[in-house]
Amino acid sequence: KSKLRNYFEKSKNYGIVACYLDNDITLRKIISNELHEFEGLSNNNINMILENSNLDRVKLYNELSKIKTYFQNKKIDTENLEKILDLKINDDFGKLRDEALKGNKIKTNRLLSETILEPEKNILYINTINQRVNKLLDILENSNKTKSLNIAIENSKPPIFWKDKPNIIEQAKKWNKSKLRQIYKKTYELEVQTKSSSTIDNKICIKKLVIDICDLANS
């Protein structure tokens, strides 16, 4: 009933196109279409690519380009797929993030001293935290509808890897939507600071962020 929409639809000089955010279904189709000639494109590997893209079409196409370049024999194997998606490289920080979100101060402090943090990857670390926060927000939102945390986790899109489920369950029980949004505020402020100043110590800033998250988990 919009007059503006009606004008565009009847105009011979202008056009109107509806635009929607990508979701699990549309991006899954892109992966299947782009890699339909490749062997080894299992559901697990599709989920891995999807999870790494964070529902971002631009990032997804970048990842697909890397996959096509690396697997020139058109045979995808999970071990090498993890490597080119940087999943192994990010695994150590993922453990640090998970313990902080669980509010485990002892393990968080130990991992802070053991984990190698590269200053130039600050934005990557922030995105890794935001991905998990976004996942937890979705789960908490769905658990309010289903009245069951386990059902919300099982129905999560994209599916949660089995090895991540124990962490997700423990974290979801620790947080609420209000506190998770406080993390978003902290990550946003740090991202702006990182991009706008070349004099800050990125390593110290990301460590402080992790500590703040751990403290917030226990508040």
PDB file of all heavy atoms in Angstrom, residues 154-184:
ATOM      1  N   GLU A 154      19.628 -27.462  20.102  1.00  0.00           N
ATOM      2  CA  GLU A 154      19.479 -28.457  19.040  1.00  0.00           C
ATOM      3  C   GLU A 154      18.937 -27.833  17.755  1.00  0.00           C
ATOM      4  O   GLU A 154      19.285 -28.250  16.658  1.00  0.00           O
ATOM      5  CB  GLU A 154      18.552 -29.590  19.498  1.00  0.00           C
ATOM      6  CG  GLU A 154      19.147 -30.503  20.553  1.00  0.00           C
ATOM      7  CD  GLU A 154      20.398 -31.227  20.072  1.00  0.00           C
ATOM      8  OE1 GLU A 154      20.461 -31.590  18.874  1.00  0.00           O
ATOM      9  OE2 GLU A 154      21.328 -31.411  20.887  1.00  0.00           O
ATOM     10  N   ASN A 155      18.093 -26.818  17.895  1.00  0.00           N
ATOM     11  CA  ASN A 155      17.479 -26.175  16.734  1.00  0.00           C
ATOM     12  C   ASN A 155      18.298 -25.007  16.198  1.00  0.00           C
ATOM     13  O   ASN A 155      17.874 -24.331  15.265  1.00  0.00           O
ATOM     14  CB  ASN A 155      16.071 -25.679  17.084  1.00  0.00           C
ATOM     15  CG  ASN A 155      15.114 -26.817  17.368  1.00  0.00           C
ATOM     16  OD1 ASN A 155      15.339 -27.956  16.950  1.00  0.00           O
ATOM     17  ND2 ASN A 155      14.031 -26.532  18.079  1.00  0.00           N
ATOM     18  N   SER A 156      19.454 -24.764  16.799  1.00  0.00           N
ATOM     19  CA  SER A 156      20.283 -23.624  16.407  1.00  0.00           C
ATOM     20  C   SER A 156      20.735 -23.727  14.956  1.00  0.00           C
ATOM     21  O   SER A 156      21.083 -24.794  14.464  1.00  0.00           O
ATOM     22  CB  SER A 156      21.509 -23.539  17.320  1.00  0.00           C
ATOM     23  OG  SER A 156      22.327 -22.442  16.975  1.00  0.00           O
ATOM     24  N   LYS A 157      20.707 -22.595  14.246  1.00  0.00           N
ATOM     25  CA  LYS A 157      21.149 -22.514  12.853  1.00  0.00           C
ATOM     26  C   LYS A 157      22.238 -21.463  12.724  1.00  0.00           C
ATOM     27  O   LYS A 157      22.042 -20.328  13.155  1.00  0.00           O
ATOM     28  CB  LYS A 157      19.977 -22.149  11.935  1.00  0.00           C
ATOM     29  CG  LYS A 157      18.835 -23.128  11.952  1.00  0.00           C
ATOM     30  CD  LYS A 157      19.233 -24.479  11.379  1.00  0.00           C
ATOM     31  CE  LYS A 157      18.053 -25.437  11.366  1.00  0.00           C
ATOM     32  NZ  LYS A 157      18.417 -26.757  10.825  1.00  0.00           N
ATOM     33  N   PRO A 158      23.407 -21.793  12.113  1.00  0.00           N
ATOM     34  CA  PRO A 158      23.807 -23.138  11.711  1.00  0.00           C
ATOM     35  C   PRO A 158      24.005 -24.051  12.910  1.00  0.00           C
ATOM     36  O   PRO A 158      24.198 -23.564  14.027  1.00  0.00           O
ATOM     37  CB  PRO A 158      25.127 -22.900  10.963  1.00  0.00           C
ATOM     38  CG  PRO A 158      25.659 -21.632  11.527  1.00  0.00           C
ATOM     39  CD  PRO A 158      24.450 -20.784  11.848  1.00  0.00           C
ATOM     40  N   PRO A 159      23.961 -25.373  12.687  1.00  0.00           N
ATOM     41  CA  PRO A 159      24.073 -26.320  13.808  1.00  0.00           C
ATOM     42  C   PRO A 159      25.377 -26.137  14.581  1.00  0.00           C
ATOM     43  O   PRO A 159      26.406 -25.768  14.026  1.00  0.00           O
ATOM     44  CB  PRO A 159      24.045 -27.689  13.111  1.00  0.00           C
ATOM     45  CG  PRO A 159      23.371 -27.453  11.814  1.00  0.00           C
ATOM     46  CD  PRO A 159      23.775 -26.062  11.393  1.00  0.00           C
ATOM     47  N   ILE A 160      25.310 -26.390  15.881  1.00  0.00           N
ATOM     48  CA  ILE A 160      26.483 -26.280  16.741  1.00  0.00           C
ATOM     49  C   ILE A 160      27.263 -27.590  16.687  1.00  0.00           C
ATOM     50  O   ILE A 160      26.676 -28.670  16.804  1.00  0.00           O
ATOM     51  CB  ILE A 160      26.070 -25.981  18.196  1.00  0.00           C
ATOM     52  CG1 ILE A 160      25.315 -24.639  18.257  1.00  0.00           C
ATOM     53  CG2 ILE A 160      27.272 -25.944  19.119  1.00  0.00           C
ATOM     54  CD1 ILE A 160      24.643 -24.374  19.569  1.00  0.00           C
ATOM     55  N   PHE A 161      28.579 -27.502  16.506  1.00  0.00           N
ATOM     56  CA  PHE A 161      29.402 -28.707  16.496  1.00  0.00           C
ATOM     57  C   PHE A 161      29.288 -29.399  17.841  1.00  0.00           C
ATOM     58  O   PHE A 161      29.230 -28.741  18.888  1.00  0.00           O
ATOM     59  CB  PHE A 161      30.870 -28.368  16.207  1.00  0.00           C
ATOM     60  CG  PHE A 161      31.086 -27.783  14.831  1.00  0.00           C
ATOM     61  CD1 PHE A 161      32.039 -26.791  14.632  1.00  0.00           C
ATOM     62  CD2 PHE A 161      30.339 -28.201  13.748  1.00  0.00           C
ATOM     63  CE1 PHE A 161      32.239 -26.242  13.375  1.00  0.00           C
ATOM     64  CE2 PHE A 161      30.528 -27.665  12.487  1.00  0.00           C
ATOM     65  CZ  PHE A 161      31.477 -26.681  12.299  1.00  0.00           C
ATOM     66  N   TRP A 162      29.302 -30.720  17.803  1.00  0.00           N
ATOM     67  CA  TRP A 162      29.092 -31.492  19.025  1.00  0.00           C
ATOM     68  C   TRP A 162      30.115 -31.131  20.105  1.00  0.00           C
ATOM     69  O   TRP A 162      29.792 -31.077  21.285  1.00  0.00           O
ATOM     70  CB  TRP A 162      29.147 -32.990  18.715  1.00  0.00           C
ATOM     71  CG  TRP A 162      30.481 -33.473  18.211  1.00  0.00           C
ATOM     72  CD1 TRP A 162      30.881 -33.577  16.922  1.00  0.00           C
ATOM     73  CD2 TRP A 162      31.595 -33.906  19.004  1.00  0.00           C
ATOM     74  NE1 TRP A 162      32.176 -34.027  16.846  1.00  0.00           N
ATOM     75  CE2 TRP A 162      32.639 -34.251  18.100  1.00  0.00           C
ATOM     76  CE3 TRP A 162      31.818 -34.042  20.375  1.00  0.00           C
ATOM     77  CZ2 TRP A 162      33.873 -34.725  18.547  1.00  0.00           C
ATOM     78  CZ3 TRP A 162      33.049 -34.509  20.809  1.00  0.00           C
ATOM     79  CH2 TRP A 162      34.064 -34.844  19.903  1.00  0.00           C
ATOM     80  N   LYS A 163      31.357 -30.848  19.703  1.00  0.00           N
ATOM     81  CA  LYS A 163      32.393 -30.558  20.700  1.00  0.00           C
ATOM     82  C   LYS A 163      32.187 -29.191  21.353  1.00  0.00           C
ATOM     83  O   LYS A 163      32.749 -28.915  22.411  1.00  0.00           O
ATOM     84  CB  LYS A 163      33.783 -30.640  20.068  1.00  0.00           C
ATOM     85  CG  LYS A 163      34.078 -29.570  19.030  1.00  0.00           C
ATOM     86  CD  LYS A 163      35.496 -29.712  18.496  1.00  0.00           C
ATOM     87  CE  LYS A 163      35.820 -28.614  17.487  1.00  0.00           C
ATOM     88  NZ  LYS A 163      37.206 -28.719  16.982  1.00  0.00           N
ATOM     89  N   ASP A 164      31.385 -28.316  20.726  1.00  0.00           N
ATOM     90  CA  ASP A 164      31.124 -26.993  21.290  1.00  0.00           C
ATOM     91  C   ASP A 164      29.904 -26.973  22.208  1.00  0.00           C
ATOM     92  O   ASP A 164      29.712 -26.014  22.963  1.00  0.00           O
ATOM     93  CB  ASP A 164      30.907 -25.965  20.165  1.00  0.00           C
ATOM     94  CG  ASP A 164      32.217 -25.458  19.590  1.00  0.00           C
ATOM     95  OD1 ASP A 164      33.234 -25.545  20.310  1.00  0.00           O
ATOM     96  OD2 ASP A 164      32.230 -24.976  18.452  1.00  0.00           O
ATOM     97  N   LYS A 165      29.073 -28.000  22.138  1.00  0.00           N
ATOM     98  CA  LYS A 165      27.815 -27.978  22.885  1.00  0.00           C
ATOM     99  C   LYS A 165      28.000 -27.849  24.402  1.00  0.00           C
ATOM    100  O   LYS A 165      27.278 -27.072  25.035  1.00  0.00           O
ATOM    101  CB  LYS A 165      26.986 -29.223  22.548  1.00  0.00           C
ATOM    102  CG  LYS A 165      26.321 -29.133  21.180  1.00  0.00           C
ATOM    103  CD  LYS A 165      25.413 -30.320  20.907  1.00  0.00           C
ATOM    104  CE  LYS A 165      24.764 -30.179  19.539  1.00  0.00           C
ATOM    105  NZ  LYS A 165      23.878 -31.328  19.231  1.00  0.00           N
ATOM    106  N   PRO A 166      28.960 -28.580  25.014  1.00  0.00           N
ATOM    107  CA  PRO A 166      29.138 -28.410  26.472  1.00  0.00           C
ATOM    108  C   PRO A 166      29.468 -26.968  26.855  1.00  0.00           C
ATOM    109  O   PRO A 166      28.952 -26.448  27.853  1.00  0.00           O
ATOM    110  CB  PRO A 166      30.295 -29.358  26.795  1.00  0.00           C
ATOM    111  CG  PRO A 166      30.246 -30.407  25.731  1.00  0.00           C
ATOM    112  CD  PRO A 166      29.820 -29.667  24.502  1.00  0.00           C
ATOM    113  N   ASN A 167      30.337 -26.315  26.054  1.00  0.00           N
ATOM    114  CA  ASN A 167      30.674 -24.912  26.328  1.00  0.00           C
ATOM    115  C   ASN A 167      29.460 -24.008  26.166  1.00  0.00           C
ATOM    116  O   ASN A 167      29.203 -23.134  27.002  1.00  0.00           O
ATOM    117  CB  ASN A 167      31.786 -24.431  25.387  1.00  0.00           C
ATOM    118  CG  ASN A 167      33.150 -24.956  25.766  1.00  0.00           C
ATOM    119  OD1 ASN A 167      33.440 -25.139  26.940  1.00  0.00           O
ATOM    120  ND2 ASN A 167      33.985 -25.200  24.786  1.00  0.00           N
ATOM    121  N   ILE A 168      28.712 -24.225  25.085  1.00  0.00           N
ATOM    122  CA  ILE A 168      27.534 -23.405  24.806  1.00  0.00           C
ATOM    123  C   ILE A 168      26.510 -23.527  25.933  1.00  0.00           C
ATOM    124  O   ILE A 168      25.941 -22.529  26.399  1.00  0.00           O
ATOM    125  CB  ILE A 168      26.891 -23.824  23.465  1.00  0.00           C
ATOM    126  CG1 ILE A 168      27.787 -23.441  22.283  1.00  0.00           C
ATOM    127  CG2 ILE A 168      25.507 -23.183  23.319  1.00  0.00           C
ATOM    128  CD1 ILE A 168      27.802 -21.979  21.946  1.00  0.00           C
ATOM    129  N   ILE A 169      26.275 -24.748  26.395  1.00  0.00           N
ATOM    130  CA  ILE A 169      25.296 -24.980  27.460  1.00  0.00           C
ATOM    131  C   ILE A 169      25.710 -24.248  28.735  1.00  0.00           C
ATOM    132  O   ILE A 169      24.907 -23.557  29.368  1.00  0.00           O
ATOM    133  CB  ILE A 169      25.137 -26.494  27.738  1.00  0.00           C
ATOM    134  CG1 ILE A 169      24.458 -27.179  26.551  1.00  0.00           C
ATOM    135  CG2 ILE A 169      24.318 -26.726  29.008  1.00  0.00           C
ATOM    136  CD1 ILE A 169      24.434 -28.691  26.645  1.00  0.00           C
ATOM    137  N   GLU A 170      26.986 -24.396  29.116  1.00  0.00           N
ATOM    138  CA  GLU A 170      27.475 -23.761  30.341  1.00  0.00           C
ATOM    139  C   GLU A 170      27.426 -22.243  30.237  1.00  0.00           C
ATOM    140  O   GLU A 170      27.075 -21.549  31.195  1.00  0.00           O
ATOM    141  CB  GLU A 170      28.896 -24.245  30.638  1.00  0.00           C
ATOM    142  CG  GLU A 170      29.404 -23.830  32.010  1.00  0.00           C
ATOM    143  CD  GLU A 170      30.736 -24.465  32.378  1.00  0.00           C
ATOM    144  OE1 GLU A 170      31.155 -25.419  31.675  1.00  0.00           O
ATOM    145  OE2 GLU A 170      31.363 -24.007  33.348  1.00  0.00           O
ATOM    146  N   GLN A 171      27.781 -21.726  29.056  1.00  0.00           N
ATOM    147  CA  GLN A 171      27.770 -20.273  28.864  1.00  0.00           C
ATOM    148  C   GLN A 171      26.350 -19.719  28.864  1.00  0.00           C
ATOM    149  O   GLN A 171      26.085 -18.666  29.456  1.00  0.00           O
ATOM    150  CB  GLN A 171      28.476 -19.922  27.549  1.00  0.00           C
ATOM    151  CG  GLN A 171      29.972 -20.165  27.589  1.00  0.00           C
ATOM    152  CD  GLN A 171      30.600 -20.225  26.214  1.00  0.00           C
ATOM    153  OE1 GLN A 171      29.924 -20.074  25.196  1.00  0.00           O
ATOM    154  NE2 GLN A 171      31.908 -20.473  26.175  1.00  0.00           N
ATOM    155  N   ALA A 172      25.431 -20.424  28.223  1.00  0.00           N
ATOM    156  CA  ALA A 172      24.044 -19.956  28.131  1.00  0.00           C
ATOM    157  C   ALA A 172      23.397 -19.875  29.517  1.00  0.00           C
ATOM    158  O   ALA A 172      22.552 -19.011  29.764  1.00  0.00           O
ATOM    159  CB  ALA A 172      23.233 -20.873  27.223  1.00  0.00           C
ATOM    160  N   LYS A 173      23.814 -20.768  30.403  1.00  0.00           N
ATOM    161  CA  LYS A 173      23.275 -20.753  31.763  1.00  0.00           C
ATOM    162  C   LYS A 173      23.859 -19.603  32.581  1.00  0.00           C
ATOM    163  O   LYS A 173      23.276 -19.191  33.582  1.00  0.00           O
ATOM    164  CB  LYS A 173      23.571 -22.087  32.458  1.00  0.00           C
ATOM    165  CG  LYS A 173      22.795 -23.272  31.896  1.00  0.00           C
ATOM    166  CD  LYS A 173      23.168 -24.557  32.610  1.00  0.00           C
ATOM    167  CE  LYS A 173      22.367 -25.737  32.069  1.00  0.00           C
ATOM    168  NZ  LYS A 173      22.758 -27.020  32.734  1.00  0.00           N
ATOM    169  N   LYS A 174      24.996 -19.094  32.139  1.00  0.00           N
ATOM    170  CA  LYS A 174      25.711 -18.059  32.898  1.00  0.00           C
ATOM    171  C   LYS A 174      25.254 -16.646  32.524  1.00  0.00           C
ATOM    172  O   LYS A 174      25.392 -15.708  33.310  1.00  0.00           O
ATOM    173  CB  LYS A 174      27.213 -18.205  32.625  1.00  0.00           C
ATOM    174  CG  LYS A 174      28.121 -17.491  33.598  1.00  0.00           C
ATOM    175  CD  LYS A 174      28.340 -18.304  34.851  1.00  0.00           C
ATOM    176  CE  LYS A 174      29.281 -17.622  35.799  1.00  0.00           C
ATOM    177  NZ  LYS A 174      29.495 -18.382  37.043  1.00  0.00           N
ATOM    178  N   TRP A 175      24.715 -16.496  31.312  1.00  0.00           N
ATOM    179  CA  TRP A 175      24.455 -15.163  30.787  1.00  0.00           C
ATOM    180  C   TRP A 175      22.967 -14.892  30.590  1.00  0.00           C
ATOM    181  O   TRP A 175      22.168 -15.812  30.454  1.00  0.00           O
ATOM    182  CB  TRP A 175      25.189 -14.968  29.456  1.00  0.00           C
ATOM    183  CG  TRP A 175      26.672 -14.926  29.619  1.00  0.00           C
ATOM    184  CD1 TRP A 175      27.523 -15.992  29.684  1.00  0.00           C
ATOM    185  CD2 TRP A 175      27.478 -13.767  29.769  1.00  0.00           C
ATOM    186  NE1 TRP A 175      28.814 -15.566  29.867  1.00  0.00           N
ATOM    187  CE2 TRP A 175      28.816 -14.200  29.921  1.00  0.00           C
ATOM    188  CE3 TRP A 175      27.205 -12.403  29.776  1.00  0.00           C
ATOM    189  CZ2 TRP A 175      29.866 -13.309  30.079  1.00  0.00           C
ATOM    190  CZ3 TRP A 175      28.254 -11.516  29.933  1.00  0.00           C
ATOM    191  CH2 TRP A 175      29.569 -11.975  30.085  1.00  0.00           C
ATOM    192  N   ASN A 176      22.654 -13.601  30.514  1.00  0.00           N
ATOM    193  CA  ASN A 176      21.332 -13.177  30.070  1.00  0.00           C
ATOM    194  C   ASN A 176      21.517 -12.160  28.948  1.00  0.00           C
ATOM    195  O   ASN A 176      22.643 -11.712  28.679  1.00  0.00           O
ATOM    196  CB  ASN A 176      20.506 -12.585  31.221  1.00  0.00           C
ATOM    197  CG  ASN A 176      21.195 -11.389  31.883  1.00  0.00           C
ATOM    198  OD1 ASN A 176      21.731 -10.513  31.215  1.00  0.00           O
ATOM    199  ND2 ASN A 176      21.197 -11.369  33.218  1.00  0.00           N
ATOM    200  N   LYS A 177      20.441 -11.795  28.295  1.00  0.00           N
ATOM    201  CA  LYS A 177      20.544 -10.934  27.116  1.00  0.00           C
ATOM    202  C   LYS A 177      21.103  -9.547  27.455  1.00  0.00           C
ATOM    203  O   LYS A 177      21.859  -8.960  26.668  1.00  0.00           O
ATOM    204  CB  LYS A 177      19.179 -10.817  26.435  1.00  0.00           C
ATOM    205  CG  LYS A 177      18.741 -12.110  25.764  1.00  0.00           C
ATOM    206  CD  LYS A 177      17.462 -11.939  24.968  1.00  0.00           C
ATOM    207  CE  LYS A 177      16.271 -11.863  25.889  1.00  0.00           C
ATOM    208  NZ  LYS A 177      14.998 -11.823  25.115  1.00  0.00           N
ATOM    209  N   SER A 178      20.763  -9.036  28.622  1.00  0.00           N
ATOM    210  CA  SER A 178      21.245  -7.709  29.024  1.00  0.00           C
ATOM    211  C   SER A 178      22.769  -7.689  29.177  1.00  0.00           C
ATOM    212  O   SER A 178      23.443  -6.777  28.682  1.00  0.00           O
ATOM    213  CB  SER A 178      20.586  -7.298  30.340  1.00  0.00           C
ATOM    214  OG  SER A 178      21.095  -6.057  30.786  1.00  0.00           O
ATOM    215  N   LYS A 179      23.308  -8.700  29.836  1.00  0.00           N
ATOM    216  CA  LYS A 179      24.769  -8.740  30.041  1.00  0.00           C
ATOM    217  C   LYS A 179      25.503  -9.009  28.723  1.00  0.00           C
ATOM    218  O   LYS A 179      26.604  -8.481  28.504  1.00  0.00           O
ATOM    219  CB  LYS A 179      25.126  -9.811  31.074  1.00  0.00           C
ATOM    220  CG  LYS A 179      24.709  -9.463  32.490  1.00  0.00           C
ATOM    221  CD  LYS A 179      25.521 -10.205  33.543  1.00  0.00           C
ATOM    222  CE  LYS A 179      25.374 -11.700  33.457  1.00  0.00           C
ATOM    223  NZ  LYS A 179      26.124 -12.400  34.536  1.00  0.00           N
ATOM    224  N   LEU A 180      24.905  -9.816  27.841  1.00  0.00           N
ATOM    225  CA  LEU A 180      25.538 -10.090  26.544  1.00  0.00           C
ATOM    226  C   LEU A 180      25.631  -8.811  25.714  1.00  0.00           C
ATOM    227  O   LEU A 180      26.616  -8.591  25.008  1.00  0.00           O
ATOM    228  CB  LEU A 180      24.769 -11.167  25.785  1.00  0.00           C
ATOM    229  CG  LEU A 180      24.925 -12.597  26.312  1.00  0.00           C
ATOM    230  CD1 LEU A 180      23.930 -13.530  25.643  1.00  0.00           C
ATOM    231  CD2 LEU A 180      26.350 -13.109  26.104  1.00  0.00           C
ATOM    232  N   ARG A 181      24.621  -7.964  25.814  1.00  0.00           N
ATOM    233  CA  ARG A 181      24.655  -6.705  25.066  1.00  0.00           C
ATOM    234  C   ARG A 181      25.724  -5.759  25.623  1.00  0.00           C
ATOM    235  O   ARG A 181      26.247  -4.907  24.908  1.00  0.00           O
ATOM    236  CB  ARG A 181      23.275  -6.039  25.093  1.00  0.00           C
ATOM    237  CG  ARG A 181      22.234  -6.828  24.288  1.00  0.00           C
ATOM    238  CD  ARG A 181      20.945  -6.046  24.102  1.00  0.00           C
ATOM    239  NE  ARG A 181      19.990  -6.841  23.348  1.00  0.00           N
ATOM    240  CZ  ARG A 181      18.967  -7.501  23.895  1.00  0.00           C
ATOM    241  NH1 ARG A 181      18.776  -7.432  25.211  1.00  0.00           N
ATOM    242  NH2 ARG A 181      18.137  -8.204  23.146  1.00  0.00           N
ATOM    243  N   GLN A 182      26.059  -5.928  26.880  1.00  0.00           N
ATOM    244  CA  GLN A 182      27.164  -5.142  27.453  1.00  0.00           C
ATOM    245  C   GLN A 182      28.489  -5.537  26.811  1.00  0.00           C
ATOM    246  O   GLN A 182      29.389  -4.707  26.638  1.00  0.00           O
ATOM    247  CB  GLN A 182      27.224  -5.340  28.963  1.00  0.00           C
ATOM    248  CG  GLN A 182      26.070  -4.700  29.717  1.00  0.00           C
ATOM    249  CD  GLN A 182      26.209  -4.863  31.224  1.00  0.00           C
ATOM    250  OE1 GLN A 182      27.253  -4.529  31.803  1.00  0.00           O
ATOM    251  NE2 GLN A 182      25.182  -5.395  31.868  1.00  0.00           N
ATOM    252  N   ILE A 183      28.619  -6.838  26.461  1.00  0.00           N
ATOM    253  CA  ILE A 183      29.839  -7.271  25.756  1.00  0.00           C
ATOM    254  C   ILE A 183      29.905  -6.607  24.385  1.00  0.00           C
ATOM    255  O   ILE A 183      30.970  -6.144  23.951  1.00  0.00           O
ATOM    256  CB  ILE A 183      29.873  -8.802  25.593  1.00  0.00           C
ATOM    257  CG1 ILE A 183      29.938  -9.496  26.951  1.00  0.00           C
ATOM    258  CG2 ILE A 183      31.090  -9.218  24.743  1.00  0.00           C
ATOM    259  CD1 ILE A 183      29.993 -11.009  26.863  1.00  0.00           C
ATOM    260  N   TYR A 184      28.775  -6.566  23.678  1.00  0.00           N
ATOM    261  CA  TYR A 184      28.737  -5.891  22.383  1.00  0.00           C
ATOM    262  C   TYR A 184      29.242  -4.451  22.493  1.00  0.00           C
ATOM    263  O   TYR A 184      29.977  -3.966  21.635  1.00  0.00           O
ATOM    264  CB  TYR A 184      27.312  -5.878  21.834  1.00  0.00           C
ATOM    265  CG  TYR A 184      26.946  -7.079  21.001  1.00  0.00           C
ATOM    266  CD1 TYR A 184      25.665  -7.618  21.069  1.00  0.00           C
ATOM    267  CD2 TYR A 184      27.855  -7.666  20.124  1.00  0.00           C
ATOM    268  CE1 TYR A 184      25.312  -8.712  20.304  1.00  0.00           C
ATOM    269  CE2 TYR A 184      27.523  -8.764  19.362  1.00  0.00           C
ATOM    270  CZ  TYR A 184      26.242  -9.278  19.452  1.00  0.00           C
ATOM    271  OH  TYR A 184      25.890 -10.358  18.691  1.00  0.00           O
TER     272      TYR A 184
END
